[in-house]
Amino acid sequence: MLDLMNVAWIEGAGPGGGVGGHLRILDQTRLPNRVEYLECTEVEQVWQAIKRLSVRGAPAIGIAAGYGCVVAAVAAERGLAPGAEAEAAVAQAVARAADYLATSRPTAVNLFWALERMRKLGPVGTARLLAEARAIQAEEVERCRQIGLHAWPVVEPLLRGGGGATGAGGPGLPGLPGVLTHCNAGALAAAGPGTATAPLYLAQERGVRFRAFVDETRPLLQGARLTAFELSAAGVPVTLICDNMAAQVMHAGRVRLVIVGADRIAANGDTANKIGTYGLAILARYHQVPFFVAAPSTSFDLTLPDGRGIPIEERGGEEITEGFGWRTAPVGIGTYSPAFDVTPHELITGILTERGVIAPVDAVQVAKVLR
Amino acid sequence: MLDLMNVAWIEGAGPGGGVGGHLRILDQTRLPNRVEYLECTEVEQVWQAIKRLSVRGAPAIGIAAGYGCVVAAVAAERGLAPGAEAEAAVAQAVARAADYLATSRPTAVNLFWALERMRKLGPVGTARLLAEARAIQAEEVERCRQIGLHAWPVVEPLLRGGGGATGAGGPGLPGLPGVLTHCNAGALAAAGPGTATAPLYLAQERGVRFRAFVDETRPLLQGARLTAFELSAAGVPVTLICDNMAAQVMHAGRVRLVIVGADRIAANGDTANKIGTYGLAILARYHQVPFFVAAPSTSFDLTLPDGRGIPIEERGGEEITEGFGWRTAPVGIGTYSPAFDVTPHELITGILTERGVIAPVDAVQVAKVLR
């Protein structure tokens, strides 16, 4: 697995009995060409890092937001003597930071969940806040590990099973059972082994050979830049394709299963995830390829009965027209750039969570597994 | 419509009674940022222009190939006195050029059709060859015009009709009936009003308002660079999307119909077209959106009973990993880059040709309309 931390608290000397240090965020916008870090000492930098997608992926956004509250708390505590007054100032700073960080991106529910968890601590010292942020991160690592373990009985037979799905191979299509994924729901997007990648890293660990077909994922190429990067670093054979080639790879019989992550899942299993996921689910259904969502329970929003209530972020058209540093479309052209879409539960074969596999995907099964 | 010729013969002084001049090809790889021309005086330059996609689109490739034979003929005739000897030399040069140009790209059948037509002229003067190449071009202009006229009774009611398909609109989705297209099957890809765009230019001419949703079409962005360019130059409201957003636009009820071009159509209507077309047809079927192919009869290959016999060009992975002038994927990553896919006839609502509309799409109807 990847030897890079997407989000980490860097210890430093704190004043008095408090916490010192700052938040280090891997700048994923520079990958795979450069490994650069953002050293955040102000909450505004954390907001920018989330907004600009330096840190992205629902669980990772939640983790960064948790630490973002600590960044605000450390700044608030500076110069104050330990005691009730300092704790009140810290609590106020955390509440402000939580309100502010909540405006960075609208779709991933982990953001709001993590901020709420930090805010609820109330008047405490920075050490307690840091412990909470670290707990959020450690718990996500464990959730991701558990996703892999729970998914294994479902994923293994698909990877090992015989049948025509291996395909004859070809120049770009050597014959290994294929798993297709979209965007990045890996270690970079989450913690530990990632969400959609958790069963894949487990397969790699257990010597089950497979090939990952990775959608490049326009406009920001998280598949090409991040998933291809982390899976190949782990030794997984990767074939990178453009998003519009997925149907052809399925048609060629090369895809045994699709696994994607999630940004928010409603109570009935409708799943918001990176734009293109919905179309992929339709293609998988047409080709009778099992389609799985992998997500920790923290990505569920049980206050929403179905996917219609999930707010979908629209991003600037320049990510489409100038995403590569030069203009790839006429100046002034109209664009439409939803960052996510919602896949209806009936197109999802199963949702792989740390508490078990939800299948079939409906409100009853979601409640049963998550209760 | 666009005020640019993709392919044109430029007159020049010829020796004796023969033809002079050269072939001018608009370098579409530089659009929309630059309008630059390749001035071809050697057949190798024409081969390169086709291979590198400076000229692309099945009908335009055929037209360029016809003129490419003239380029070879003019070179062969140079220094020879008019007469049987010169004509024999020209015929030999044309045969060689045809064999050579046939190796430039494998999928578009118009290439082979046009080369065969030039070769069959046998020992003639360059003037006759030039007339033939011009006839190929002029006939394609007329075929495209006729495609628009024949398509009109099918397309107009879809654009004018009421129903929910207009959608409520939104920031990037203002409320006009939508037509979705993929890659470029426009004036740049063909002649005159293009193939898939012919009914759209006609609608524009006749005052029927609509919005074109244009897939950017990775890896080489012919939709973003070419279709968005030529449609917006003609005053058509354009919304550019990434390929993986098409399902979402259909789900939002914004697409009344899909129209794409074709590179080769088998006798049963199975259609090879730019990679991504097959997936789009599946998405259209899922959303009950009519899906049309527009193509001249010159794009049909009736020697093939179905799409399985159509050779699919695989292109270099660097078009995916370095298509934007910088590396967007890890060095050494595997890729798969089919330039085309085959849409089975049963997913196509109708094929719009200059001889009429083929619907339903099957071998019987293809034979009936094309006979």
Side-chain angles (χ1 to χ4, degrees), chain A:
Chain A
M1 234 168 61
L2 202 65
D3 193 24
L4 289 174
M5 283 292 280
N6 49 2
V7 180
W9 186 263
I10 305 301
E11 302 272 357
V19 158
H22 69 278
L23 177 58
R24 174 172 289 168
I25 292 177
L26 177 64
D27 186 355
Q28 298 188 32
T29 68
R30 311 304 296 267
L31 289 178
N33 297 314
R34 294 193 195 174
V35 174
E36 288 179 12
Y37 294 92
L38 304 170
E39 312 290 349
C40 303
T41 55
E42 315 270 345
V43 70
E44 289 75 14
Q45 296 168 302
V46 182
W47 188 93
Q48 281 288 347
I50 296 172
K51 179 77 179 176
R52 291 184 51 252
L53 278 54
S54 295
V55 59
R56 23 68 51 205
I61 290 173
I63 294 165
Y67 285 120
C69 291
V70 183
V71 167
V74 168
E77 198 186 47
R78 205 167 288 142
L80 296 180
E85 198 190 334
E87 289 186 0
V90 160
Q92 204 178 32
V94 167
R96 250 200 323 266
D99 286 346
Y100 172 57
L101 290 170
T103 65
S104 57
R105 296 192 72 192
T107 304
V109 75
N110 306 58
L111 173 66
F112 311 106
W113 169 86
L115 291 171
E116 217 32 52
R117 185 161 157 180
M118 296 302 287
R119 190 203 306 265
K120 271 194 194 149
L121 292 179
V124 294
T126 46
R128 178 73 190 83
L129 283 158
L130 178 57
E132 193 72 11
R134 284 195 160 137
I136 291 175
Q137 187 168 30
E139 291 163 19
E140 288 294 23
V141 171
E142 184 53 23
R143 281 188 198 101
C144 288
R145 258 180 34 81
Q146 290 294 330
I147 287 173
L149 293 169
H150 281 288
W152 189 245
V154 172
V155 170
E156 188 196 13
L158 290 169
L159 289 183
R160 285 204 201 265
T166 305
L173 289 175
L176 275 177
V179 178
L180 192 146
T181 187
H182 186 70
C183 196
N184 175 263
L188 289 164
T195 55
T197 52
L200 307 186
Y201 286 125
L202 201 58
Q204 181 75 355
E205 223 176 279
R206 297 183 172 178
V208 178
R209 299 256 299 152
F210 66 97
R211 172 166 294 275
F213 288 95
V214 175
D215 280 355
E216 66 171 5
T217 316
R218 282 282 284 153
L220 295 180
L221 300 167
Q222 291 94 336
R225 294 188 304 101
L226 308 178
T227 304
F229 175 65
E230 66 166 272
L231 287 179
S232 60
V236 174
V238 170
T239 297
L240 177 65
I241 59 173
C242 296
D243 300 309
N244 63 23
M245 296 169 186
Q248 176 63 15
V249 177
M250 290 184 194
H251 176 74
R254 295 307 321 286
V255 181
R256 297 275 183 98
L257 70 160
V258 178
I259 312 186
V260 299
D263 290 82
R264 193 187 299 208
I265 304 177
N268 70 343
D270 289 356
T271 296
N273 189 48
K274 178 55 57 195
I275 186 72
T277 302
Y278 167 55
L280 209 53
I282 296 169
L283 299 179
R285 172 61 52 94
Y286 183 83
H287 293 97
Q288 301 183 284
V289 171
F291 183 93
F292 295 101
V293 169
S297 55
T298 49
S299 293
F300 284 76
D301 180 355
L302 300 179
T303 68
L304 298 177
D306 59 49
R308 285 173 300 180
I310 302 176
I312 298 297
E313 178 182 10
E314 282 193 30
R315 294 187 63 90
E318 68 284 357
E319 291 183 354
I320 300 179
T321 59
E322 298 177 21
F324 300 92
W326 59 280
R327 189 89 199 169
T328 56
V331 172
I333 207 76
T335 55
Y336 171 55
S337 189
F340 305 96
D341 55 28
V342 175
T343 301
H345 63 96
E346 63 268 20
L347 290 176
I348 304 170
T349 309
I351 303 181
L352 315 171
T353 81
E354 82 277 15
R355 301 195 193 160
V357 174
I358 299 168
V361 180
D362 57 31
V364 174
Q365 290 300 317
V366 169
K368 204 165 134 189
V369 173
L370 290 195
R371 65 143 185 272

Side-chain angles (χ1 to χ4, degrees), chain B:
Chain B
M1 234 168 57
L2 201 64
D3 193 23
L4 289 174
M5 283 292 279
N6 49 3
V7 180
W9 186 263
I10 305 301
E11 302 272 357
V19 158
H22 68 277
L23 177 59
R24 174 172 290 167
I25 292 176
L26 177 64
D27 186 355
Q28 298 188 33
T29 67
R30 312 303 298 267
L31 290 176
N33 297 316
R34 294 195 196 173
V35 175
E36 288 179 12
Y37 294 93
L38 304 171
E39 312 290 349
C40 304
T41 56
E42 316 268 345
V43 70
E44 288 76 14
Q45 296 169 303
V46 181
W47 189 93
Q48 281 289 348
I50 296 172
K51 180 76 179 176
R52 291 185 49 250
L53 278 55
S54 295
V55 58
R56 25 66 51 205
I61 290 174
I63 294 166
Y67 283 121
C69 292
V70 183
V71 167
V74 167
E77 198 186 46
R78 207 168 287 142
L80 297 179
E85 201 191 331
E87 289 187 358
V90 160
Q92 206 178 29
V94 168
R96 252 198 323 265
D99 286 346
Y100 172 58
L101 290 171
T103 65
S104 58
R105 295 192 73 194
T107 304
V109 75
N110 307 58
L111 173 66
F112 311 105
W113 169 86
L115 292 172
E116 218 31 52
R117 184 162 157 179
M118 296 303 286
R119 189 204 304 267
K120 269 194 194 150
L121 291 178
V124 295
T126 47
R128 177 73 190 81
L129 283 159
L130 178 57
E132 192 72 11
R134 284 192 162 139
I136 291 174
Q137 187 168 30
E139 291 163 20
E140 287 293 24
V141 171
E142 184 54 23
R143 281 189 197 99
C144 288
R145 260 180 32 80
Q146 290 295 330
I147 287 172
L149 294 169
H150 281 289
W152 190 245
V154 172
V155 170
E156 188 197 12
L158 290 168
L159 291 182
R160 285 206 202 264
T166 304
L173 290 174
L176 274 177
V179 178
L180 192 145
T181 187
H182 186 68
C183 194
N184 175 263
L188 289 164
T195 56
T197 51
L200 307 186
Y201 286 125
L202 201 59
Q204 181 75 354
E205 224 176 279
R206 294 182 174 179
V208 178
R209 299 258 297 153
F210 65 98
R211 171 165 296 273
F213 289 96
V214 174
D215 279 356
E216 65 171 5
T217 318
R218 280 283 285 154
L220 295 180
L221 301 168
Q222 290 92 337
R225 295 189 303 101
L226 308 178
T227 304
F229 175 64
E230 68 167 271
L231 287 179
S232 60
V236 174
V238 170
T239 296
L240 178 65
I241 59 173
C242 296
D243 300 310
N244 62 23
M245 297 169 185
Q248 177 62 14
V249 177
M250 289 184 194
H251 176 75
R254 295 306 320 287
V255 181
R256 298 275 183 97
L257 70 160
V258 178
I259 312 186
V260 298
D263 290 83
R264 193 187 298 209
I265 304 176
N268 70 342
D270 288 357
T271 296
N273 189 48
K274 178 56 56 197
I275 185 70
T277 302
Y278 167 55
L280 209 54
I282 296 169
L283 299 179
R285 172 61 53 94
Y286 183 83
H287 293 96
Q288 301 183 282
V289 171
F291 182 91
F292 295 100
V293 169
S297 55
T298 49
S299 293
F300 284 77
D301 180 355
L302 300 179
T303 69
L304 297 177
D306 60 49
R308 285 173 299 178
I310 302 176
I312 299 297
E313 178 182 9
E314 282 192 30
R315 295 187 63 90
E318 70 282 357
E319 290 182 355
I320 299 179
T321 58
E322 299 177 20
F324 299 92
W326 59 281
R327 189 88 199 170
T328 55
V331 173
I333 205 79
T335 56
Y336 171 54
S337 188
F340 305 97
D341 55 27
V342 175
T343 301
H345 63 97
E346 63 267 21
L347 290 176
I348 304 170
T349 310
I351 304 181
L352 315 171
T353 81
E354 83 276 15
R355 301 195 192 160
V357 174
I358 299 168
V361 180
D362 58 29
V364 173
Q365 290 300 314
V366 169
K368 203 166 135 189
V369 172
L370 291 195
R371 67 145 183 272

